[in-house]
Amino acid sequence: EAGVAQSPRYKIIEKRQSVAFWCNPISGHATLYWYQQILGQGPKLLIQFQNNGVVDDSQLPKDRFSAERLKGVDSTLKIQPAKLEDSAVYLCASSPDRGWETQYFGPGTRLLVL
Amino acid sequence: DAKTTQPPSMDCAEGRAANLPCNHSTISGNEYVYWYRQIHSQGPQYIIHGLKNNETNEMASLIITEDRKSSTLILPHATLRDTAVYYCILMSSGTYKYIFGTGTRLKVLA
């Protein structure tokens, strides 16, 4: 079974530029999560989708971050404009359903904002 | 804020049991204890979870105290590949949300 795929794996941009990350969850998984992991910290949930609807985006900085999950499959997370403090690893995870016992994480996208 | 407290780092000799403690003194009745680990440059990987009873699977054992205020993850025979950051997480059956802390960095020594 293929795991959660993310791209790109690495991205370097300058502040005030925009950037987008892509996630392809495990086939058939209804729930998709985006996390931000700053160096030395645990992952922090940014947004949770159930199919193509948003369940929780309370921690998403909506003035600069946006996310969508069209057709309830792939998802993109965008930052516009980026700030220095957005430097982090962005992790995507999926699970068969909300409340499922396991979340399956992708390898993450490492973003460096200069 | 994370509701769990873990030691920042631990060492364990290869082949010995690794016992990783977690304090969750404010746990609610509907919160499960989850353990994940994160090997360098990878996403977190599920290990085990429990509510009240002790649990065991092919990777580890989870011991939860009777009052549920603390738990211990046991890796019975640690190998070098078990070197990772281990996260103890509480998940509410209402929100299904993980709140990660800073975890325990386990180093398995040859």
Side-chain angles (χ1 to χ4, degrees), chain B residues 53-67:
Chain B
N53 299 323
N54 298 337
E55 302 288 345
T56 295
N57 62 20
E58 64 277 6
M59 287 183 69
S61 295
L62 173 61
I63 309 297
I64 303 174
T65 57
E66 193 170 341
D67 63 7

Side-chain angles (χ1 to χ4, degrees), chain B residues 38-87:
Chain B
Q38 188 171 26
I39 295 170
H40 183 61
S41 295
Q42 297 182 22
Q45 174 194 25
Y46 168 81
I47 301 173
I48 199 167
H49 76 284
L51 183 63
K52 296 181 184 177
N53 299 323
N54 298 337
E55 302 288 345
T56 295
N57 62 20
E58 64 277 6
M59 287 183 69
S61 295
L62 173 61
I63 309 297
I64 303 174
T65 57
E66 193 170 341
D67 63 7
R68 302 212 317 128
K69 293 185 176 182
S70 66
S71 61
T72 301
L73 178 74
I74 301 172
L75 307 179
H77 306 286
T79 72
L80 298 178
R81 288 190 299 271
D82 292 323
T83 292
V85 177
Y86 287 76
Y87 294 100

Side-chain angles (χ1 to χ4, degrees), chain A residues 9 35 37 40-43 45 56 58 91 98-99 101-103 105-107 110, chain B residues 34 36 38 41-46 49 87 91 94-98 100-102:
Chain A
R9 291 297 313 276
Y35 290 84
Q37 185 172 25
Q41 299 181 18
L45 179 68
D56 184 348
S58 58
L91 294 160
R98 199 162 172 248
E101 59 188 32
T102 306
Q103 291 185 21
F105 285 80
R110 188 175 298 274
Chain B
Y34 276 73
Y36 277 72
Q38 188 171 26
S41 295
Q42 297 182 22
Q45 174 194 25
Y46 168 81
H49 76 284
Y87 294 100
M91 189 195 78
T95 65
Y96 308 118
K97 183 190 290 190
Y98 292 162
F100 287 80
T102 51

Side-chain angles (χ1 to χ4, degrees), chain A residues 32-101:
Chain A
L32 186 147
Y33 313 80
W34 282 102
Y35 290 84
Q36 179 193 58
Q37 185 172 25
I38 293 171
L39 187 65
Q41 299 181 18
K44 182 182 82 171
L45 179 68
L46 292 176
I47 189 167
Q48 179 184 154
F49 290 95
Q50 179 73 6
N51 295 308
N52 60 351
V54 175
V55 174
D56 184 348
D57 63 357
S58 58
Q59 299 276 65
L60 188 73
K62 298 180 187 63
D63 57 334
R64 298 184 301 107
F65 285 64
S66 64
E68 60 181 9
R69 191 183 184 198
L70 299 177
K71 301 181 182 178
V73 181
D74 293 4
S75 177
T76 56
L77 176 69
K78 297 179 182 177
I79 308 175
Q80 182 179 8
K83 293 184 175 182
L84 297 178
E85 58 261 35
D86 298 331
S87 294
V89 176
Y90 290 85
L91 294 160
C92 180
S94 71
S95 64
D97 203 349
R98 199 162 172 248
W100 193 260
E101 59 188 32

